[in-house]
Amino acid sequence: MSTPSVNTSAEIPAGFGEAAFEAFLATREEPDWVTQSRRQAFKRYSELLEAELDPEEWRRVDLRAMRPDRFQLNASSEITNDSTDSKSTETLLKGQAEFAGQVTHVDGQLASNDLSAELAAKGVIFGDLAVVVREHSELIQKYFMTKAVDSETDRFSAWHAAFWTGGTVLYVPRNVVIETPLHSLITLQAEKAADFSHTLIVLEEGASATLLEETASTTTDNLGLHVGAVELILAKEARLRYVQLQNWNHNVWHIAHQVGRVEASGFLQWTVGGIGAKLAHIHQDVVLDGRGSEAEVNGVTFATDKQIHSFYTQQVHNAQGTRSDLLYKQVLRDHARAIWRGMIRVEPEGQQTNGYQRNDSLMLSPTCRVDAIPGLEIEADDVRCTHGATAGRVDEEQIFYCMSRGMSEYEAMHMIVEGFFQTVFDRIPVEVVRETLNQAIIKKLGFGR
Amino acid sequence: MSDFEEIASIDEFGLADRLEVFIDDTPVLLIRLNDQYFAIEDVCTHDGQPLTNGCIEEGAIVCPRHGARFDLVTGKALCMPATKPIQIFEVEVRDHKIFARLGK
């Protein structure tokens, strides 16, 4: 089942060519089906590199400066807990609340993992994908890139499928309810390190859980690359709250495919926080497969300097009586840029559905730029679908009013930005997430000043 | 002001009149025009996409998509639809090597 000659101390060449792929495979100890799927994905990746990217999704995203050949996968499994406890890691959530379990990854390798004994006894699996894929091979094979993220979608999904390094797995058996949130931390540490972590969450029928995941850099300057994937698979009547806070430093390239699929009467609440990265592009799909399933998607992003935050979101209604509600709030300053392309798609079977999408952008500087493009594709004739996008500057009169009441300009700006985000904060029921996002915003407002 | 950094050598041009290079992760278009060299940020300020294949006319580059024109010396937008200037870089040539730094 496993490769006999595994060399975890070998150096993997920089880049993602054939030599790097073979060297990477030599460091992995994985079931045959994983190796086969990697080889197939690498072949597809090589083909897709020659193909044009979908202009609808990528025309506004400039990837020329990414230059993947600079980045290198880490083969070493010698990651210690010390490396993640370093004060230099700007983790936003760790230590802020009580968690039922935690997983930490550094440069694509597992650093630490724990789960309460009570949950483990109930059959909950929470750990590193690289480990779980060996210990629960049949279970993972059923779900891994078979139902949500498709490795064939584009060069990035194929690239990820060939080179995924590890990531967080959460499996919750039928009718198991996890009250206390779980925490997953993904960090980049070394200069020019590449992280290809994969988050896989499977909730069986009637299960419930909350996972708070964050990405962070241990330095403010090191270049990094993250090509990730998130798969959220909810069976009938399952309820998941998933939060992802992207807080890399400003030299990290972040590309991800993220898909949530919800069966009948299931509920997915998905919150995305985008603070860091040089360029972040997220392809985020929410697919409502079962009758009466619901999804709520919240987005909070804040870009400064020359950061680029790009989102390509889709809400797909495949069944009757489904509801999706997406709200993104984006703030920009300096020369930052935000791109949001949203789509609600209703299939002919999706009668009596309710789809909503809205994107609001607040520009704090005259030099930033927003491209917000909402869209609808409706093939059913008895639906309610609405969408909208707004973009605007801070009203000078609001600042003047606040300052005439004794506030400084900074305090006035913070109040206005916090007020702008409030409608999306009100939708986030996990207090620690609201508070963490608010703190990150306060910090960001002072950034570069 | 940042220091000059080497970005290319004259030999790399061959018969071409332009080279695509990077300065601090910024895509830069290095243009040779009558033995003079110009370096500009390779992004149109109108639509945010590359100027790479734009025609050079009367000391200006023309965006290949919508026709915006930018002065190669000052970066100034010379016609609609662009209204904002492009970033330019100061260029020096020493011993067949080309150095550049962020312009004023």
Side-chain angles (χ1 to χ4, degrees):
Chain A
M1 177 171 114
S2 58
T3 314
S5 55
V6 172
N7 184 359
T8 54
S9 60
E11 177 94 348
I12 300 171
F16 299 92
E18 192 147 10
F21 179 66
E22 292 300 333
F24 171 70
L25 274 190
T27 67
R28 308 294 294 188
E29 188 179 355
E30 292 170 335
D32 284 341
W33 69 266
V34 176
T35 310
Q36 292 311 316
S37 76
R38 285 189 190 279
R39 288 198 180 280
Q40 203 174 337
F42 182 73
K43 187 167 172 276
R44 188 74 182 125
Y45 166 63
S46 305
E47 290 165 3
L48 287 167
L49 273 178
E50 305 301 319
E52 189 193 3
L53 286 163
D54 177 7
E56 204 56 47
E57 179 172 356
W58 291 97
R59 105 168 27 120
R60 294 170 185 82
V61 184
D62 190 348
L63 295 171
R64 285 174 295 167
M66 185 162 83
R67 292 170 287 164
D69 286 349
R70 297 181 292 172
F71 299 98
Q72 189 172 22
L73 288 160
N74 177 12
S76 167
S77 54
E78 293 171 9
I79 301 287
T80 64
N81 287 344
D82 295 345
S83 51
T84 56
D85 291 339
S86 159
K87 285 176 185 169
S88 59
T89 308
E90 291 223 11
T91 163
L92 294 169
L93 287 164
K94 210 168 190 176
Q96 300 298 311
E98 189 186 329
F99 297 114
Q102 300 197 53
V103 182
T104 302
H105 311 269
V106 179
D107 293 344
Q109 303 286 332
L110 176 69
S112 65
N113 180 199
D114 64 68
L115 174 69
S116 81
E118 184 195 349
L119 292 179
K122 286 179 178 172
V124 173
I125 300 168
F126 183 60
D128 176 32
L129 178 60
V131 176
V132 178
V133 81
R134 291 196 300 266
E135 294 175 352
H136 303 275
S137 176
E138 280 183 24
L139 178 73
I140 298 301
Q141 187 174 11
K142 187 175 164 192
Y143 295 104
F144 182 76
M145 297 191 90
T146 57
K147 296 179 185 297
V149 174
D150 180 0
S151 66
E152 301 268 322
T153 306
D154 63 19
R155 72 176 67 155
F156 298 101
S157 58
W159 190 8
H160 172 84
F163 287 96
W164 64 268
T165 45
T168 298
V169 178
L170 171 63
Y171 172 81
V172 187
R174 194 173 173 206
N175 291 332
V176 172
V177 174
I178 304 177
E179 300 284 356
T180 313
L182 299 148
H183 180 237
S184 162
L185 174 65
I186 299 160
T187 66
L188 277 169
Q189 186 170 267
E191 170 70 356
K192 295 181 181 169
D195 170 85
F196 280 59
S197 55
H198 186 109
T199 300
L200 174 64
I201 303 178
V202 179
L203 266 57
E204 296 284 19
E205 191 176 326
S208 170
T210 301
L211 176 66
L212 313 182
E213 183 161 72
E214 62 177 319
T215 63
S217 302
T218 55
T219 69
T220 55
D221 300 321
N222 280 358
L223 282 177
L225 172 70
H226 169 84
V227 180
V230 172
E231 300 190 283
L232 313 175
I233 300 164
L234 280 70
K236 201 174 152 190
E237 293 172 6
R239 295 179 69 82
L240 173 67
R241 286 176 184 157
Y242 174 68
V243 178
Q244 191 187 46
L245 299 180
Q246 181 271 104
N247 189 34
W248 303 117
N249 71 24
H250 287 205
N251 288 323
V252 173
W253 296 79
H254 177 106
I255 313 265
H257 274 271
Q258 308 185 338
V259 179
R261 295 201 82 121
V262 191
E263 282 297 339
S265 303
F267 174 70
L268 168 64
Q269 189 192 58
W270 190 345
T271 300
V272 175
I275 308 288
K278 178 182 186 65
L279 179 147
H281 177 81
I282 312 288
H283 181 123
Q284 183 188 34
D285 292 349
V286 171
V287 187
L288 301 170
D289 292 315
R291 190 169 179 150
S293 53
E294 294 180 59
E296 192 177 283
V297 184
N298 307 312
V300 175
T301 76
F302 194 165
T304 57
D305 199 14
K306 282 186 152 188
Q307 284 183 288
I308 299 168
H309 286 160
S310 167
F311 292 87
Y312 186 86
T313 69
Q314 293 195 87
Q315 298 150 259
V316 184
H317 294 255
N318 284 340
Q320 193 177 347
T322 49
R323 183 181 77 88
S324 70
D325 180 353
L326 177 144
L327 175 63
Y328 265 71
K329 292 273 191 178
Q330 303 189 277
V331 173
L332 300 95
R333 205 188 66 198
D334 311 326
H335 291 272
R337 188 161 179 210
I339 301 148
W340 175 74
R341 178 84 173 87
M343 180 63 72
I344 296 177
R345 179 162 175 82
V346 184
E347 297 296 333
E349 299 77 20
Q351 299 289 7
Q352 287 144 19
T353 59
N354 187 349
Y356 178 72
Q357 64 174 187
R358 181 179 173 123
N359 175 291
D360 294 323
S361 301
L362 182 67
M363 292 182 280
L364 305 183
S365 310
T367 44
C368 42
R369 173 178 175 141
V370 175
D371 295 88
I373 307 155
L376 299 172
E377 283 180 9
I378 301 170
E379 295 194 30
D381 58 7
D382 180 17
V383 301
R384 175 187 161 84
C385 287
T386 46
H387 67 179
T390 67
R393 298 277 309 278
V394 175
D395 187 346
E396 291 291 333
E397 284 196 10
Q398 287 180 0
I399 302 273
F400 178 77
Y401 177 82
C402 292
M403 291 175 76
S404 73
R405 292 291 181 273
M407 290 183 191
S408 67
E409 188 182 354
Y410 174 83
E411 287 168 330
M413 195 64 92
H414 175 237
M415 199 164 84
I416 289 164
V417 170
E418 196 180 3
F420 174 76
F421 281 133
Q422 196 59 48
T423 46
V424 71
F425 284 173
D426 287 344
R427 292 157 54 116
I428 303 170
V430 187
E431 190 185 347
V432 66
V433 175
R434 282 198 306 271
E435 185 53 34
T436 300
L437 279 169
N438 196 27
Q439 289 303 318
I441 288 158
I442 291 170
K443 193 171 173 201
K444 192 101 184 181
L445 271 171
F447 180 82
R449 292 287 159 97
Chain B
M1 176 155 295
S2 58
D3 291 333
F4 278 100
E5 65 173 280
E6 185 181 334
I7 54 169
S9 79
I10 288 176
D11 301 337
E12 289 175 56
F13 276 90
L15 296 173
D17 69 343
R18 64 194 73 190
L19 281 180
E20 294 175 64
V21 297
F22 295 93
I23 300 177
D24 289 339
D25 265 1
T26 300
V28 170
L29 192 60
L30 184 58
I31 296 164
R32 177 166 67 180
L33 185 63
N34 302 328
D35 284 333
Q36 268 195 299
Y37 294 89
F38 304 91
I40 59 171
E41 183 172 357
D42 190 9
V43 178
C44 176
T45 57
H46 164 241
D47 68 358
Q49 293 178 60
L51 290 165
T52 317
N53 298 319
C55 294
I56 312 290
E57 293 174 1
E58 297 171 0
I61 186 163
V62 183
C63 176
R65 287 170 301 282
H66 306 103
R69 294 173 65 234
F70 300 95
D71 189 292
L72 291 178
V73 177
T74 64
K76 191 177 170 188
L78 301 174
C79 75
M80 292 289 278
T83 57
K84 292 175 182 167
I86 50 171
Q87 177 68 57
I88 53 144
F89 297 82
E90 282 184 65
V91 177
E92 276 189 12
V93 181
R94 294 178 232 144
D95 300 333
H96 277 254
K97 288 177 180 161
I98 302 169
F99 297 79
R101 70 177 179 190
L102 206 57
K104 288 174 190 170

